[in-house]
Amino acid sequence: AMSMSWGSTGSGYPVFANALTAARTTARNGKGIPLFASSGNGYQSDFTQLPASYPSVMAVGASAQNNTRAGFSNYGPKLFAAAPGTSLYTTDRTGAVGYGPEAYKGFSGTSASCPAMAAVAAMVLVKNPELTEAQVRDILKNSCRKIGGYTYDANGKSAELGFGIIDAN
């Protein structure tokens, strides 16, 4: 699985978009690779952040500790699903090159959610490496928890959390 925790705006880069489509459809001897990107932290309901808004990529939003959409997380029809993204800790470089003097740093953002989603996809592929990208995508969307008190449509999708919050179980 590929995790892209960065973003930009604009018209995009056709060569990069084509490379992502090729990875999704032809990598792993034609089985494809699940591609994930952070939806962004701009509280936008119809985000255009790239690469999350490319059709070949699953956009990942952030959920809060109370199992709702994190207030900063982009959401809307392009969102695939959400993963925990608030009050998380990570290692940090110490000194002038880091964010502070501590070895660990608390942070929030869809840049935390995206690798969590990709990790769950990777666990699915470790369990069964013969699965295609489309099969992994279906497993993920069908195993997401439909919570937060949001309305989920007939396809199992809400504007706030996409198919829901990822569940590694």
Side-chain angles (χ1 to χ4, degrees):
M2 183 186 297
S3 173
M4 297 173 278
S5 294
W6 51 272
S8 68
T9 57
S11 60
Y13 304 94
V15 172
F16 182 60
N18 292 339
L20 290 175
T21 299
R24 178 182 176 215
T25 57
T26 63
R28 294 190 316 118
N29 295 318
K31 293 180 190 78
I33 296 174
L35 307 172
F36 303 94
S38 303
S39 68
N41 304 323
Y43 187 67
Q44 296 175 3
S45 63
D46 193 16
F47 60 91
T48 58
Q49 178 169 309
L50 298 171
S53 62
Y54 284 136
S56 61
V57 175
M58 291 175 268
V60 182
S63 63
Q65 293 173 334
N66 64 354
N67 289 323
T68 61
R69 179 178 47 80
F72 55 80
S73 183
N74 287 348
Y75 60 103
K78 296 174 189 155
L79 189 67
F80 177 76
T86 60
S87 302
L88 301 170
Y89 281 85
T90 188
T91 56
D92 185 25
R93 297 178 292 179
T94 57
V97 295
Y99 289 102
E102 304 85 19
Y104 297 94
K105 175 73 177 158
F107 77 108
S108 298
T110 58
S111 287
S113 307
C114 185
M117 182 77 71
V120 174
M123 288 190 294
V124 169
L125 284 169
V126 165
K127 180 71 175 163
N128 187 347
E130 296 305 312
L131 292 172
T132 66
E133 184 276 345
Q135 290 170 318
V136 172
R137 183 183 288 249
D138 284 343
I139 288 168
L140 295 176
K141 79 177 186 180
N142 292 324
S143 63
C144 283
R145 292 180 285 136
K146 313 283 190 238
I147 55 180
Y150 303 117
T151 300
Y152 290 84
D153 65 19
N155 295 320
K157 201 168 180 190
S158 75
E160 294 83 3
L161 294 175
F163 288 107
I165 297 175
I166 193 66
D167 188 341
N169 287 324

